[in-house]
Amino acid sequence: MNGGDERGEQLTVAVVGASGFAGGELCRLLTGHPNFELVQATSREYENKTLGYVHPNLRGVDVRFSSPEELESVDVLFASTPHGVSMEHIDAFRDAAGTVVDLSADFRLNEEADYDEWYDGHVAPEHLADAAYALPELGREKLEGADLIASGGCNATATMLALKPLVDGGVITPDDQVVADLKVGSSEGGAGGGAASSHPERSGVVRPYAPTGHRHEAEIRQELGLSLSFTVHAVDMTRGAAATCHAFPSERVTTGDLWDAYREAYDDEPFVRLVAGGGGVYRYPEPKAVAGTNYAEVGFELDPENGRVVAFSAIDNVMKGAAGQAVHAANVALGLEETAGLEFQGLHPVGSP
């Protein structure tokens, strides 16, 4: 882990697309970060309005939305824009800032051909080779000193955190069958999520919305080397993504093997908590327990009758799946204390996450 920035360095920061849910969380985190000074937050729709006009939890922040066409020169730029926007403006972003952190899908994949397959192509493929995938738990070496960072997809993040120990520990291989089932909150649809995300339509549902072919599969294949079956359900919560993954290893494993694999992967990780059985009400990873935080809970259960391993994870999709991951990655890239600005432990009891 990084030892922190002994100089107490102050870096100027801009957030492009600050009126969305992830953009608002970025502003919240950055205003409380010991090394960052939020100097610009952009929004076409809310230009000249205060941050608190859109994000009521930020009413005390003395920053107004400005036009994204008038970028200030800053040390770090976070882009929290819909897919397709950052790739069109990446030259301007990189001209404005020494470090760019993109929260969209525009730079998550390494190959232009993958964007042709999973998205709608790419207009700036020359930048793909420069981008470092943001999730620090997958490896920090590429992030250190990176000047273009691609924050991972929330569903991919939850799934990979559940499965990474099984891959690293040799419990599963690319030839083994893996099925991932995701339950996700309405904030995944964004601030303009449309009719399917409206409260009357969303309330009380467990609705499959991506039974097959979810775009986040591409990240999992790239980062873990796994080809898996992937299904996503919309459920009645605001924040959260919960992954339940069923893996069928070709070789029999024991519960002890699983404990060894998960401890080896995560014992030294500041934002991953191992929750596997035990007592009490919250016996397995639960989105409600990490709402508002950059923490991930992971866990497992072994089905000895058929050798199935059930791997779980739970994250706040707007935090660990977006803004928190982006700030964590920026901390690593810039040599700051990894946990800076991200120490919030969450609340209990709390309502729907």
Side-chain angles (χ1 to χ4, degrees):
M1 304 302 164
N2 293 317
D5 180 21
E6 297 179 357
R7 298 170 295 167
E9 183 179 6
Q10 292 296 305
L11 303 171
T12 55
V13 181
V15 176
V16 177
S19 62
F21 293 144
E25 284 291 74
L26 278 170
C27 292
R28 176 177 72 88
L29 294 174
L30 295 170
T31 55
H33 195 291
N35 300 104
F36 291 146
E37 178 188 2
L38 180 66
V39 298
Q40 185 176 27
T42 79
S43 170
R44 285 189 175 86
E45 182 177 358
Y46 298 105
E47 187 176 352
N48 295 322
K49 300 289 188 182
T50 65
L51 288 184
Y53 182 85
V54 177
H55 307 296
N57 58 322
L58 302 180
R59 283 176 176 147
V61 179
D62 188 20
V63 174
R64 290 181 178 269
F65 292 108
S66 59
S67 170
E69 305 301 330
E70 300 174 0
L71 294 178
E72 297 185 21
S73 178
V74 293
D75 296 307
V76 187
L77 183 150
F78 290 87
S80 183
T81 55
H83 172 66
V85 175
S86 288
M87 67 173 74
E88 293 183 350
H89 297 278
I90 187 60
D91 289 327
F93 291 170
R94 299 189 84 173
D95 286 344
T99 302
V100 174
V101 186
D102 182 49
L103 277 70
S104 79
D106 285 10
F107 299 97
R108 293 173 186 165
L109 304 181
N110 297 333
E111 302 295 335
E112 182 180 3
D114 290 331
Y115 282 95
D116 293 333
E117 178 181 356
W118 292 93
Y119 292 89
D120 301 311
H122 205 288
V123 300
E126 64 274 15
H127 293 275
L128 295 177
D130 298 336
Y133 196 78
L135 190 60
E137 288 84 2
L138 295 185
R140 291 163 173 78
E141 55 280 351
K142 292 183 180 179
L143 278 172
E144 294 170 356
D147 57 15
L148 177 58
I149 298 168
S151 193
C154 48
N155 297 326
T157 295
T159 304
M160 290 190 292
L161 289 172
L163 294 174
K164 179 183 184 294
L166 304 181
V167 174
D168 290 353
V171 175
I172 57 175
T173 72
D175 296 326
D176 293 329
Q177 182 183 8
V178 179
V179 178
D181 182 270
L182 278 290
K183 305 293 193 300
V184 303
S186 58
S187 56
E188 278 205 9
S197 294
S198 70
H199 180 73
E201 297 295 345
R202 187 73 177 227
S203 180
V205 305
V206 180
R207 178 190 300 138
Y209 78 86
T212 62
H214 194 288
R215 289 171 167 178
H216 289 184
E217 287 184 40
E219 295 169 54
I220 301 168
R221 294 185 183 194
Q222 172 181 282
E223 299 298 324
L224 291 188
L226 291 177
S227 178
L228 75 170
S229 302
F230 194 82
T231 296
V232 186
H233 293 74
V235 300
D236 186 6
M237 63 181 178
T238 300
R239 288 176 179 257
T244 301
C245 305
H246 307 270
F248 298 86
S250 53
E251 301 291 335
R252 289 278 177 169
V253 296
T254 67
T255 300
D257 294 331
L258 297 178
W259 277 110
D260 289 344
Y262 278 84
R263 285 170 173 157
E264 176 66 24
Y266 293 137
D267 265 0
D268 294 328
E269 287 294 343
F271 292 112
V272 181
R273 294 169 172 168
L274 186 53
V275 183
V281 176
Y282 297 94
R283 299 179 57 225
Y284 295 98
E286 168 60 56
K288 186 175 181 178
V290 294
T293 82
N294 192 54
Y295 288 93
E297 292 188 346
V298 300
F300 60 85
E301 189 69 63
L302 177 64
D303 184 349
E305 292 300 317
N306 59 19
R308 175 176 58 118
V309 177
V310 186
F312 306 98
S313 75
I315 64 171
D316 181 327
N317 58 291
V318 191
M319 279 292 294
K320 186 63 174 175
Q325 179 183 152
V327 171
H328 187 187
N331 287 343
V332 175
L334 295 163
L336 306 175
E337 174 60 49
E338 273 202 47
T339 59
L342 298 169
E343 295 91 345
F344 177 59
Q345 294 290 321
L347 304 172
H348 180 79
V350 67
S352 178

